[in-house]
Amino acid sequence: MFRRLPYRFQVPLGLVLAVLVSALLVSAVAAQIAARSARQEVLTTVRQAMVLLRAQARPLLAADDTWRAYTLLRDTAALLPGTERGQTRAAILDAKGRFLAGSDPSRLVTGVMALGESAHAKLALAANDIRARVEQAADDGALTLVEPIRSEDGGLLGFVYVEIDAPAFATDWVAVAQPAAIGALLAAALLVPAGWFLGERMGRPIAQIASCIAKIGRTDAAQLSAQVPVAKDPELNRIGDAVRRLLSELQVRQEAELRALSAERLAAVGRITAAVAHEINNPLAGLLTVAQTLRIHGAAEETRIRSIDLIDRGLKQIQTMTAALLPQARVEDRALLPGDINDVVTLVQPEAQRLGVQISLHLDISSAFRVPSAVVRQVMLNLLLNAIKAAGDGGLAHALVQSDAQVLRISIGNTGLRLTAADLETRVASEGGNDPRGFGLWICREIANRFGGGFHLVADSAAATELCFWIPNLNAHEQVTVTR
C-alpha cells in the first residue's frame, strides 16, 4: 500500500515513520537505563536508611524497648521508597532473629521468628550465620536485606531487617515516554512539511517522465522526446536519457513500419487478385464444358434444361465467391442442397476425364444441410480439383460428404504421392499464398477458420492423401460477414 503512493506522500510519511521508530528505540533504551537506575537508587536509599537504623537501634536493643523501636521505624520508614504504597517495610530483630518491632506490625509481627528454619521465618539463614549485610532476591524481583547490629565490643545485639517488594523497583513508564513522545511530535511537525516539499520536488520530474511514457504509441515520438524533462539528479537524468533514446528508436521503427505496411498493402492487393482469378477459373472451366455440351447436344430438351441450370448455378457461385473474397463483404446465400454436391462433381468431370482419373462420391446424410451452399461448393471444388491433379493419369479420387445435426464434414481422398502434414502446412501458410499448388488449400483453411470449423490431413487414411474439411451444421451460417 505504501509503495503505491506518489513520492510526495512517501517522503514525508517515511520521515515521520523514521522519527517514530527512533523515538520508540530511544524510549526503550531509556526505559532500560531508567529501570536499572531506579533499582540502584532504591537500594542506595535503603542501605543509607539501614545505616541510620543500625546506629540508633543499639540502645533500644540493649533496653529491649519495643515502643521506642517502633517509633524509630515509623519515622525512618517514611524515608524508604514505596513505603506509602506498602511496598517497603523495615524492622528491628533481636539477637535470636525475632521481630522486636516493625514498621508494618500486621505483616512484621513482634515476637515472630524472622530468621532460621521455623515455619514463619522470612530468611532461612540462622542468626549466627549472618556476619555482614545479606541481600537475598526472590524469583519475582523482591529483595530482603538483613544487617547485624553489634555493640562497641563486637557483641551481637540484633539485626536491621528491610523487605522491598518487586513493584517498588518498577519504572515510571509515563515519565520515561512523555519526553520521547513530545520530541517525536515536534519532529513530525517539522519534518512533514519538509518531507512534502522534498517529495514534491523529487516526484515532479518522475511524474513528467511517467506521463511521457504513458503517451507512447498515442503521440508523435518526436513531440514526446521534447517533453522529457532534464533533471539535475544524475539517476533521474539517466532515466530521461533512456526514455529519449527509446523514443528515438521508436520513431525509426514507426517509419519502418509505415514503409512495411505500404508494401504489405500492395502484396495484399496482389493476393486478393490471385484469389479472385483462382476461384473464378475453377468453376469457369466447368461452365465452358457445359457450354460446349449445350452447343453439341442442345437440341435435346433435357440436356438443354440441365445445362442451363448448371450455368445459372455456376455463375451465381462465381458471383458469391467473388463477393466473399472482398474485404468487409456481407455474403447472403441459401442453404446447401444434395444437388449442389452433384453439380460440383459434374463440373470437375471434364478435368478428370482429361487426366484419366475416376471420381466416386458417397453421401452419408442423417440431417438436413444448414450451411451456405456457395462456400461449401467452393471448398469441395478446390479439394476435388487438387485431388484429381494429385491422383495423376489413371488414378482415383473419392469424395465423402457426411452430415448430422452438429457437423457437416467433407473428406476428399486420392491416390498418387502421399502428402505429409508438414507439406500441407507449408502449402497453406499465409506467407505461402504465392504458391499456386497451395492457394486453393489456403482458401479452404481460411473458410474453415471463418466458420469455426477445421481443415486437416487424415493421418490414418487408406488413401495416399485424404483431406478433411468440416464446419458446424448451424442455421447461423446462412448469413456471414467476411472480414479480411
Side-chain angles (χ1 to χ4, degrees):
M1 181 66 181
F2 180 76
R3 294 181 178 179
R4 298 179 182 177
L5 296 175
Y7 275 110
R8 62 177 180 274
F9 295 111
Q10 288 190 32
V11 172
L13 291 178
L15 291 175
V16 172
L17 182 61
V19 170
L20 294 178
V21 172
S22 300
L24 289 175
L25 293 176
V26 171
S27 299
V29 174
Q32 293 293 329
I33 297 175
R36 296 177 183 178
S37 300
R39 187 179 184 89
Q40 192 62 37
E41 289 177 2
V42 170
L43 288 177
T44 300
T45 303
V46 169
R47 289 165 183 167
Q48 291 175 352
M50 291 179 71
V51 172
L52 178 62
L53 287 174
R54 186 184 61 187
Q56 296 185 2
R58 288 193 183 98
L60 302 180
L61 287 170
D64 196 20
D65 192 342
T66 302
W67 176 252
R68 291 181 60 191
Y70 170 73
T71 302
L72 172 64
L73 289 169
R74 184 187 60 188
D75 296 339
T76 306
L79 302 175
L80 300 177
T83 302
E84 67 279 2
R85 298 187 298 273
Q87 298 172 349
T88 306
R89 297 165 296 281
I92 296 177
L93 310 181
D94 60 15
K96 295 181 179 180
R98 294 174 299 184
F99 287 111
L100 176 65
S103 61
D104 187 354
S106 61
R107 300 178 67 176
L108 307 177
V109 182
T110 301
V112 175
M113 184 64 70
L115 305 177
E117 299 292 337
S118 63
H120 300 288
K122 299 291 184 177
L123 288 177
L125 293 174
N128 295 331
D129 297 332
I130 300 177
R131 306 297 180 185
R133 182 188 301 157
V134 175
E135 298 180 359
Q136 183 172 338
D139 295 337
D140 62 351
L143 189 66
T144 302
L145 295 89
V146 178
E147 186 174 357
I149 302 174
R150 299 185 182 277
S151 61
E152 294 181 357
D153 58 358
L156 180 64
L157 298 177
F159 301 90
V160 177
Y161 178 90
V162 178
E163 288 182 349
I164 307 173
D165 295 338
F169 298 113
T171 304
D172 188 356
W173 296 107
V174 175
V176 173
Q178 187 175 6
I182 294 175
L185 291 176
L186 291 175
L190 293 175
L191 290 176
V192 167
W196 183 273
F197 173 75
L198 292 176
E200 186 70 24
R201 184 177 178 182
M202 291 173 57
R204 189 180 301 113
I206 297 177
Q208 292 175 353
I209 294 175
S211 177
C212 292
I213 294 175
K215 295 178 182 178
I216 292 177
R218 297 178 297 173
T219 307
D220 182 66
Q223 182 179 357
L224 283 179
S225 181
Q227 296 177 4
V228 177
V230 178
K232 296 180 180 179
D233 182 77
E235 296 298 328
L236 291 179
N237 199 34
R238 287 175 57 189
I239 296 176
D241 292 340
V243 173
R244 280 187 286 269
R245 287 195 301 271
L246 173 64
L247 291 172
S248 178
E249 294 174 1
L250 180 61
Q251 186 177 6
V252 174
R253 182 176 178 180
Q254 287 176 345
E255 293 174 353
E257 287 179 351
L258 289 176
R259 291 192 295 269
L261 180 60
S262 178
E264 179 64 23
R265 286 175 178 172
L266 293 175
V269 172
R271 285 196 296 269
I272 292 175
T273 304
V276 171
H278 182 277
E279 296 307 306
I280 290 177
N281 283 333
N282 283 339
L284 189 57
L287 291 177
L288 291 174
T289 302
V290 172
Q292 183 69 19
T293 302
L294 185 60
R295 183 179 297 110
I296 298 173
H297 305 287
E301 183 178 0
E302 182 179 355
T303 303
R304 185 172 61 254
I305 294 175
R306 178 171 175 77
S307 298
I308 292 174
D309 289 341
L310 283 173
I311 292 173
D312 181 64
R313 285 194 293 268
L315 291 175
K316 287 182 178 179
Q317 180 176 353
I318 291 175
Q319 181 184 26
T320 304
M321 287 188 297
T322 305
L325 291 170
L326 295 177
Q328 304 296 336
R330 186 171 183 84
V331 179
E332 297 183 1
D333 193 15
R334 60 175 176 82
L336 182 69
L337 296 174
D340 295 322
I341 298 174
N342 294 323
D343 288 348
V344 173
V345 176
T346 301
L347 288 174
V348 299
Q349 281 291 352
E351 183 68 13
Q353 292 174 1
R354 186 178 68 84
L355 297 176
V357 177
Q358 295 182 5
I359 301 176
S360 61
L361 172 66
H362 180 71
L363 300 178
D364 182 9
I365 302 174
S366 60
S367 177
F369 295 131
R370 297 189 300 274
V371 293
S373 62
V375 291
V376 175
R377 285 183 298 172
Q378 179 184 2
V379 169
M380 190 172 178
L381 186 62
N382 280 333
L383 294 180
L384 275 175
L385 289 174
N386 283 345
I388 291 170
K389 293 176 182 178
D393 188 16
L396 300 175
H398 176 71
L400 172 62
V401 179
Q402 297 172 302
S403 174
D404 56 26
Q406 286 78 34
V407 175
L408 168 69
R409 183 176 289 103
I410 299 175
S411 300
I412 306 295
N414 60 268
T415 58
L417 295 177
R418 183 176 296 274
L419 180 69
T420 65
D423 292 336
L424 177 63
E425 290 301 322
T426 301
R427 294 187 183 185
V428 301
S430 59
E431 62 268 22
N434 295 325
D435 186 356
R437 300 175 302 167
F439 204 83
L441 300 179
W442 174 73
I443 291 177
C444 293
R445 170 72 63 85
E446 289 294 305
I447 292 175
N449 293 337
R450 188 188 316 161
F451 286 93
F455 179 68
H456 62 275
L457 181 70
V458 179
D460 55 352
S461 174
T465 300
E466 182 176 350
L467 297 174
C468 178
F469 168 90
W470 67 271
I471 59 174
N473 193 16
L474 301 175
N475 289 324
H477 292 321
E478 292 178 5
Q479 292 185 354
V480 180
T481 300
V482 180
T483 303
R484 289 282 178 86

